[in-house]
Amino acid sequence: MKTELIVLLLLVALAAGWVDAVVGGGGLVQLPTLLLAFPVAPPATILATDKLSSISGTTASAITFARGTRPDLRVAAPAALLAVVVSGAGAATAGLIPAAAFRPFVLGALVVVAAVVILRPGLGASPRQVRPARHRAVAAVAVTGVVLPFYNGLVGPGTGAMILLALTGLLGLDFVTGSATAKLVNLGANVGALAVFAVHGQAFWLLGLAMAACNVLGARVGARTALRRGAGFIRIVLLCVVAALIAKLGGDYLFS
């Protein structure tokens, strides 16, 4: 492999770690680059390498966030445990269900999410002062622990951002607490997917470990930036990531 390509992938992993730590969605940066770098590699190998890198950054950012704010463990704990199993199931079926089948639904959900964030500028600015109703907590666990982890194992990009938005909208968390909570759930999802891929030996292990080190560095910087800059900063980055996801998935859907 050319040195220039390795350097590019390491820089991309650094940037992806930062984005993933702030709002999630680092796979939007990292996964397409891996696909371009290895156009003939099996998709499962690319997904496994991406997960190997991103799981390290997610762990680092989760630890950093936990030191700076308290995640909502009432939802994060059961959702993360479910995510391990469900994401693994998604990874196991990655070769059986075409990713294109999910694009229209994910694209539609992202458009709705973007509209809500734009039309409700107060969303995620500060936490609600009342505990969410039980049905909202159950819905949050179902969406972030089942629906989105399956998508994570099957495809991946944008899962972290979608988990953050689900937690913020359903539970009324501010973006800082929501990010801390989302990191724990996304960590479970990445563990489940990577475990399935690893069993089949589907990864560029040396490259993935090198990218993981860069991803950790970017994640630590991103988490500290998010904690220091607060909910307003996270909202801006979130809108940018969602817009980029809509553009990518929309382009894939229209031109596939």
Side-chain angles (χ1 to χ4, degrees):
M1 187 185 300
K2 293 182 179 180
T3 303
E4 295 84 354
L5 181 57
I6 295 175
V7 172
L8 173 62
L9 289 170
L10 295 181
L11 290 175
V12 166
L14 182 71
W18 188 91
V19 172
D20 216 42
V22 177
V23 295
L28 177 68
V29 179
Q30 188 167 269
L31 185 58
T33 307
L34 282 167
L35 288 170
L36 289 173
F38 303 100
V40 297
T45 299
I46 300 299
L47 288 170
T49 306
D50 175 63
K51 288 289 181 285
L52 178 61
S53 173
S54 61
I55 194 174
S56 304
T58 303
T59 302
S61 61
I63 293 171
T64 303
F65 266 109
R67 290 172 177 170
T69 189
R70 294 184 62 181
D72 190 333
L73 295 178
R74 295 174 301 119
V75 171
L81 290 174
L82 282 170
V84 173
V85 177
V86 176
S87 186
T93 58
L96 303 177
I97 303 175
F102 286 82
R103 285 177 188 148
F105 302 101
V106 175
L107 182 59
L110 286 171
V111 170
V112 172
V113 160
V116 170
V117 174
I118 292 171
L119 296 175
R120 294 181 58 191
L123 179 69
S126 59
R128 295 176 189 163
Q129 299 303 312
V130 295
R131 290 171 63 90
R134 182 179 178 84
H135 72 276
R136 284 182 171 269
V138 172
V141 171
V143 172
T144 64
V146 179
V147 178
L148 294 178
F150 187 81
Y151 166 79
N152 180 73
L154 186 67
V155 184
T159 304
M162 287 186 273
I163 290 174
L164 169 60
L165 286 165
L167 293 173
T168 305
L170 290 170
L171 302 181
L173 303 178
D174 63 275
F175 281 136
V176 176
T177 305
S179 289
T181 307
K183 294 297 170 291
L184 296 176
V185 181
N186 202 25
L187 178 60
N190 283 337
V191 166
L194 180 60
V196 171
F197 288 131
V199 167
H200 298 89
Q202 296 170 317
F204 295 129
W205 293 102
L206 291 179
L207 175 62
L209 290 172
M211 292 178 67
C214 294
N215 204 276
V216 167
L217 178 59
R220 290 179 65 86
V221 174
R224 289 173 180 173
T225 302
L227 288 168
R228 184 174 66 252
R229 299 288 295 274
F233 172 76
I234 295 176
R235 182 176 183 273
I236 293 172
V237 177
L238 178 61
L239 280 172
C240 292
V241 169
V242 170
L245 274 168
I246 291 172
K248 182 186 184 301
L249 291 174
D252 290 346
Y253 178 65
L254 291 173
F255 300 109
S256 61

